[in-house]
Amino acid sequence: PLIYDGAMTTCEGFINSCRLYMSAKPQEFPTLHIKITWVLGFMQLGMAQMFRDHFLTYMTTLDYQAQYEQSTEPDQIKLLYRDIYKAFGDPNKQATAIQELTTIKQGSKSTEEHVQLFKQSYMRSGYGETVGIHEFKRSLNSPLLDKCMAVPDLPTTLEKWYELVIRLDRQWRQAVAERKMPNTNQPVQQNWTPPVNRPQQPWRAPATPVQHDPNVMQVDQNRGPIRCYNCGQTGHMAHVC
């Protein structure tokens, strides 16, 4: 259990936490005295601390022995829980739950969180489902309620209303998230880079190609190897034979 300070809103939760721990580990609490001192050990702040100090004094009296140790209650630690609840608990839980139910507003809470808080107040209020639906619709933020009222077939049970508002809220959150995502289909814009200034080269006239006359005889290409007229061999002339 958490440290208890005597707040009315957390009184029942503190008692339930103590019960759960003891039921999970009964071997650690063999006697009533151990159970009581263990519970009192968490009452360390505010009015809860004052209750603890007074109860420790009360444990030394005969009244304590008669009311607690000699009690016919099968689970005697329940007597301490009752005294704690009388001191700090809500004397009219239903009236408190009705007040919470009729004044609760979603505000900045997420839809899931608001639904859970509304469920708790509704279960303690004792209201019927028709009134519960009316109060739940009233508690929603106006934009979300407008989306709900635009649905063709409105739910007729509270559970269906819970499912509807959670679904619409998730759809809205998903749409917002998708709008924030970058569009990968659009071309990536390249940053323009100015051209590098290079020194200009002086202008030169293009070289004129040499024109060849197609009618000129290609003597060198058509002439065969030199042949000697004396011996008929190639490679030398007659005057050197």
Side-chain angles (χ1 to χ4, degrees), residues 125-139:
S125 68
Y127 275 177
E129 193 162 39
T130 302
V131 179
I133 292 175
H134 172 76
E135 292 297 336
F136 183 67
K137 290 162 59 178
R138 177 203 54 77
S139 69

Side-chain angles (χ1 to χ4, degrees), residues 164-236:
L164 174 63
V165 297
I166 291 175
R167 175 169 56 84
L168 292 178
D169 184 67
R170 287 177 178 174
Q171 290 177 354
W172 175 79
R173 293 177 186 274
Q174 183 178 0
V176 172
E178 290 177 353
R179 285 198 296 267
K180 293 181 179 180
M181 294 177 61
N183 189 353
T184 56
N185 295 326
Q186 293 182 354
V188 179
Q189 183 178 2
Q190 299 290 343
N191 293 330
W192 179 79
T193 304
V196 179
N197 293 328
R198 297 180 179 178
Q200 296 183 353
Q201 298 293 334
W203 181 84
R204 295 179 180 178
T208 303
V210 179
Q211 299 292 332
H212 295 280
D213 189 354
N215 297 321
V216 177
M217 295 180 62
Q218 301 295 329
V219 178
D220 294 338
Q221 294 182 4
N222 297 330
R223 187 174 60 182
I226 300 173
R227 185 179 298 275
C228 178
Y229 290 107
N230 292 331
C231 65
Q233 298 295 323
T234 60
H236 63 276

Side-chain angles (χ1 to χ4, degrees), residues 99-147:
Q99 182 180 5
E100 292 176 355
L101 189 71
T102 55
T103 57
I104 188 173
K105 295 290 291 183
Q106 180 181 358
S108 60
K109 297 187 293 292
S110 66
T111 304
E112 289 85 352
E113 182 182 1
H114 178 63
V115 167
Q116 293 302 321
L117 293 175
F118 186 89
K119 282 182 177 181
Q120 295 176 19
S121 299
Y122 173 72
M123 287 187 296
R124 297 194 305 267
S125 68
Y127 275 177
E129 193 162 39
T130 302
V131 179
I133 292 175
H134 172 76
E135 292 297 336
F136 183 67
K137 290 162 59 178
R138 177 203 54 77
S139 69
L140 297 175
N141 290 337
S142 297
L144 181 57
L145 179 60
D146 292 341
K147 290 182 179 295

